[in-house]
Amino acid sequence: MTKKQKLELTWIGKEKRPKLEPRILLEDPAQSYHAAHRVTDKDIFDNRLIFGDNLLALKALEQEFTGQIKCVYIDPPFNTGEMFEHYDDGMEHSIWLSNMRDRLEILKVLLSDEGSIFIHIDDNELGYLIALADEVFFRKNRIAVITFKQSSTSGPKAVNPGLVSTASYILYYAKDKTAWRPNRVYQSTERDDRYNRYIVNSEEDFASWRTIPLREAFSKKTGVPVKDLNKTFGEELEEELTKFVLSDPSRVVRTARVAPKDVNENAREALSSSRRSPDRVFCSHREGRDDYFFLNGEQLIFYSTKAKQIDGEWVTALPASTIWDDLLSNNLHAEGGVAFPNGKKPEALLQRILSLATSPDDLVLDSFAGSGTTGAVAHKMNRRWIMIELRDHCNTHLLPRLKKVIGGEDQSGITKAVTWKGGGGFRYFCIAPSLLTQDKWGNWVISKEYKADMLAEAVCKLEGFTYAPSDTTYWQQGYSTERDFLYVTTAHLTPEQLQQLSDEVGPERTLLVLCTAFRGKADRFGNLTIKKIPKQVLSRCEWGRDDYSLQVENLPQAPPELGQQALFAEEVGE
């Protein structure tokens, strides 16, 4: 039988996958932080800031948070070959793709069925990343490729030959498009000057409405003659006209041609009547929808259909498109009170993403936290959040920024738009050291840093058990079902001790016992499964490896038959 073929992106080393150790997370209470008092009843305290390698951290989150993340935003190093202040942002394509693949696969597991992911990238890796993300999330779940205008053509870049690069891109995927339910989001835009008529008596019955030119209405409002408007207001005239329009958009209208076939039967009669009586407005009522209004054989359209309240301000707005050119990321140095050259994203960008993909109390994850914009915005928008950062700026940038947000001291970014007053908190975690380490003879042994409770929690995670130590029964350290338990000890268990355990467990329950050594036959007790550590787990993981960061390390040589070509797309068998 012929194997099914598929088109996929192939690169050197793609078949190599890390055997990640599912580490436990250790809270550092001295770094965890919360507000001095409750600000509202909806304050959120159980957010998480994790310091450590993001691939290990994602693996550590897998057991507890699988299927729970509503939205992922990541802004990984763009692999441009440049060296940024906070990131080693240069990597061969093959290494970069392997590392991104490993992370995307875990992120997909963490996403809820209705969840979505936003991946920020520039055009250097855009094409490859689309092919990779299509493979991980499936092409049918790709929602959009968003173009984000992050700078203008002015400044030093403008003197470079050729085209000036002003955009980056955001890949938007759903975990499952059939379950995906986005919110409606609007983008502000310039005033639509086609709406150039003003209803002077809108409080009266619609049949007697009278309209005058918009500028004439503005003239009456300001007391400035129409002919003097340009001279009086100068460059501010458009801004003042916009304010006037948005102050009562239901009075500002335009007419549009409409064919009888484009409206329902009742509306056709109103349309026809408006032609016979051109100075009168006719209405056709619609149940559950805006009524039709007709004047002189054309439809009357109100500016109120374009006016939307965004961040507490009435603006002209349209449904958000895939071109985001209204959120320039320049002049961001003051946001959050932290400097992060070449990496910080505007809070308004994350606000739009979270408004589109989440609701209050949803869980948001950013595994390349950078300057902490995702967590800061999620917190201000009453979303729960998890952020992961390996570099030192986790402590020098993220901690101070988040504390200001929680304390209500951060007045930058979206604070005023969402009327943020402070409150809530977060817990600070580090990744535990590797469970196993090599002694001076090269033998793998349990790390001396692991106390009894840490060891039990780590082994529970390795075996897929939930860590939940009993207050009354010493051997109930974790469970997989209500009758299946786990017990971990560094003791050498004797036959007598195993018999006692078996008696206490009883015939209705089972117990997985992991110990450093035991005497007797492992299958003697029907309700006990006895295994040795570290032997039981030695082959499970890459022990002792603490850094899976996006850096070039030991770049593999290309196979001779491929020469030096690192990337190609081809049809391969599954």
Side-chain angles (χ1 to χ4, degrees):
M1 182 176 178
T2 304
K3 289 185 177 181
K4 182 180 178 181
Q5 299 288 303
K6 69 176 182 179
L7 191 67
E8 70 174 85
L9 185 67
T10 305
W11 62 89
I12 294 172
K14 181 179 181 180
E15 72 286 353
K16 295 182 179 179
R17 294 175 178 270
K19 297 173 68 176
L20 297 173
E21 176 187 357
R23 305 279 184 94
I24 61 175
L25 298 173
L26 304 176
E27 183 175 3
D28 183 350
Q31 298 283 35
S32 298
Y33 188 79
H34 62 79
H37 58 84
R38 286 188 177 273
V39 177
T40 72
D41 293 337
K42 298 181 179 180
D43 289 354
I44 298 174
F45 294 91
D46 194 26
N47 302 298
R48 301 194 181 195
L49 176 60
I50 303 171
F51 177 55
D53 180 87
N54 64 11
L55 190 57
L56 286 173
L58 289 173
K59 187 66 177 178
L61 294 171
E62 197 173 39
Q63 183 183 42
E64 182 178 356
F65 289 98
T66 288
Q68 295 190 36
I69 307 297
K70 186 64 176 296
C71 177
V72 171
Y73 170 83
I74 57 173
D75 182 17
F78 284 177
N79 195 22
T80 61
E82 299 176 10
M83 295 297 291
F84 291 128
E85 179 180 355
H86 297 288
Y87 288 112
D88 294 329
D89 190 16
M91 183 171 298
E92 290 289 333
H93 289 291
S94 56
I95 300 292
W96 189 86
L97 284 166
S98 290
N99 279 288
M100 285 302 302
R101 185 268 319 276
D102 298 338
R103 286 156 175 79
L104 292 180
E105 288 181 341
I106 299 181
L107 289 170
K108 181 181 179 181
V109 170
L110 294 174
L111 276 174
S112 63
D113 288 341
E114 68 276 14
S116 51
I117 182 171
F118 297 78
I119 313 167
H120 208 137
I121 201 70
D122 72 354
D123 58 0
N124 187 60
E125 292 287 358
L126 176 64
Y128 299 114
L129 185 58
I130 290 175
L132 174 61
D134 279 356
E135 187 174 329
V136 174
F137 292 96
F138 306 132
R139 186 173 180 176
K140 65 182 181 180
N141 291 319
R142 191 201 312 160
I143 305 301
V145 179
I146 299 165
T147 300
F148 170 54
K149 183 180 178 182
Q150 62 183 24
S151 62
S152 64
T153 55
S154 60
K157 291 192 298 183
V159 302
N160 295 335
L163 301 176
V164 179
S165 178
T166 62
S168 57
Y169 306 89
I170 302 171
L171 305 188
Y172 180 16
Y173 285 81
K175 168 77 170 285
D176 178 359
K177 202 171 183 179
T178 63
W180 166 72
R181 299 291 184 272
N183 301 316
R184 178 58 68 94
V185 175
Y186 293 89
Q187 290 177 251
S188 61
T189 186
E190 295 179 351
R191 179 177 68 90
D192 189 340
D193 58 12
R194 294 176 301 171
Y195 291 75
N196 56 11
R197 304 290 295 183
Y198 186 87
I199 303 174
V200 296
N201 58 337
S202 62
E203 67 281 355
E204 299 178 13
D205 183 74
F206 64 83
S208 60
W209 282 350
R210 292 183 295 105
T211 68
I212 62 175
L214 178 63
R215 288 195 170 215
E216 183 179 333
F218 181 65
S219 172
K220 292 179 180 295
K221 172 74 173 180
T222 61
V224 179
V226 173
K227 63 182 180 62
D228 295 332
L229 288 177
N230 288 327
K231 179 180 178 181
T232 302
F233 291 99
E235 294 180 355
E236 297 179 358
L237 177 59
E238 176 56 33
E239 180 181 351
E240 294 301 320
L241 277 171
T242 298
K243 290 179 181 178
F244 176 66
V245 168
L246 293 172
S247 67
D248 196 350
S250 62
R251 287 179 177 265
V252 180
V253 296
R254 75 177 179 94
T255 57
R257 293 179 181 177
V258 58
K261 65 180 179 63
D262 294 331
V263 295
N264 59 44
E265 185 175 347
N266 290 335
R268 290 189 201 117
E269 177 58 33
L271 176 61
S272 178
S273 297
S274 74
R275 292 196 181 100
R276 294 193 297 268
S277 302
D279 295 328
R280 180 184 173 189
V281 176
F282 290 81
C283 175
S284 174
H285 177 68
R286 294 197 296 173
E287 192 68 36
R289 303 182 67 183
D290 291 339
D291 294 337
Y292 280 127
F293 291 89
F294 301 102
L295 175 63
N296 195 20
E298 295 188 324
Q299 185 181 354
L300 206 59
I301 306 176
F302 299 84
Y303 204 83
S304 53
T305 61
K306 285 182 169 289
K308 305 294 178 184
Q309 193 173 31
I310 299 179
D311 298 336
E313 179 182 357
W314 284 96
V315 297
T316 303
L318 296 172
S321 70
T322 57
I323 306 295
W324 292 2
D325 57 0
D326 57 328
L327 303 172
L328 290 181
S329 58
N330 51 2
N331 300 320
L332 291 179
H333 60 280
E335 278 198 0
V338 295
F340 202 78
N342 301 313
K344 189 191 291 186
K345 297 298 182 290
E347 290 195 5
L349 171 64
L350 271 299
Q351 181 190 19
R352 178 167 295 169
I353 288 172
L354 299 189
S355 296
L356 177 64
T358 68
S359 300
D361 204 43
D362 281 342
L363 188 54
V364 177
L365 170 64
D366 184 348
S367 55
F368 293 90
S371 66
T373 302
T374 302
V377 172
H379 204 94
K380 293 176 184 180
M381 295 179 67
N382 297 307
R383 273 67 168 168
R384 295 176 294 140
W385 55 265
I386 299 172
M387 288 196 295
I388 304 167
E389 182 52 57
L390 170 64
R391 309 301 174 188
D392 289 339
H393 52 269
C394 182
N395 299 316
T396 59
H397 290 63
L398 273 72
L399 278 176
R401 180 174 190 174
L402 293 171
K403 288 179 179 179
K404 289 179 181 178
V405 170
I406 291 166
E409 303 169 29
D410 178 14
Q411 296 301 308
S412 64
I414 67 167
T415 296
K416 294 180 181 178
V418 298
T419 63
W420 175 251
K421 304 296 183 182
F426 64 88
R427 299 168 66 191
Y428 182 102
F429 291 88
C430 295
I431 300 174
S434 183
L435 173 62
L436 302 185
T437 185
Q438 288 182 300
D439 62 17
K440 62 181 179 180
W441 294 284
N443 300 313
W444 288 102
V445 296
I446 297 172
S447 171
K448 293 181 179 179
E449 297 184 53
Y450 273 74
K451 300 177 183 178
D453 56 342
M454 287 175 59
L455 176 61
E457 183 178 358
V459 174
C460 277
K461 183 163 283 192
L462 279 166
E463 296 293 333
F465 281 64
T466 298
Y467 176 65
S470 170
D471 293 330
T472 57
T473 306
Y474 73 93
W475 49 263
Q476 289 185 7
Q477 296 176 330
Y479 67 89
S480 61
T481 70
E482 61 182 12
R483 296 184 178 183
D484 189 20
F485 299 93
L486 179 144
Y487 172 52
V488 184
T489 178
T490 55
H492 292 206
L493 297 179
T494 66
E496 293 76 19
Q497 289 172 317
L498 291 173
Q499 183 64 61
Q500 182 180 348
L501 271 176
S502 179
D503 293 342
E504 292 184 16
V505 172
E508 301 300 322
R509 296 179 293 192
T510 58
L511 181 66
L512 173 61
V513 181
L514 292 108
C515 55
T516 52
F518 65 93
R519 284 186 287 134
K521 293 183 178 180
D523 58 356
R524 176 183 171 186
F525 307 98
N527 57 355
L528 302 184
T529 301
I530 310 167
K531 298 180 179 180
K532 293 181 181 180
I533 51 172
K535 180 181 179 181
Q536 166 65 18
V537 298
L538 264 180
S539 62
R540 299 270 191 91
C541 312
E542 296 174 330
W543 303 103
R545 182 171 177 181
D546 294 317
D547 188 356
Y548 290 87
S549 58
L550 297 178
Q551 299 183 37
V552 178
E553 293 180 3
N554 301 319
L555 183 66
Q557 296 295 319
E561 66 273 18
L562 292 180
Q564 295 302 312
Q565 182 180 0
L567 289 161
F568 57 94
E570 66 173 5
E571 287 195 358
V572 297
E574 289 186 326

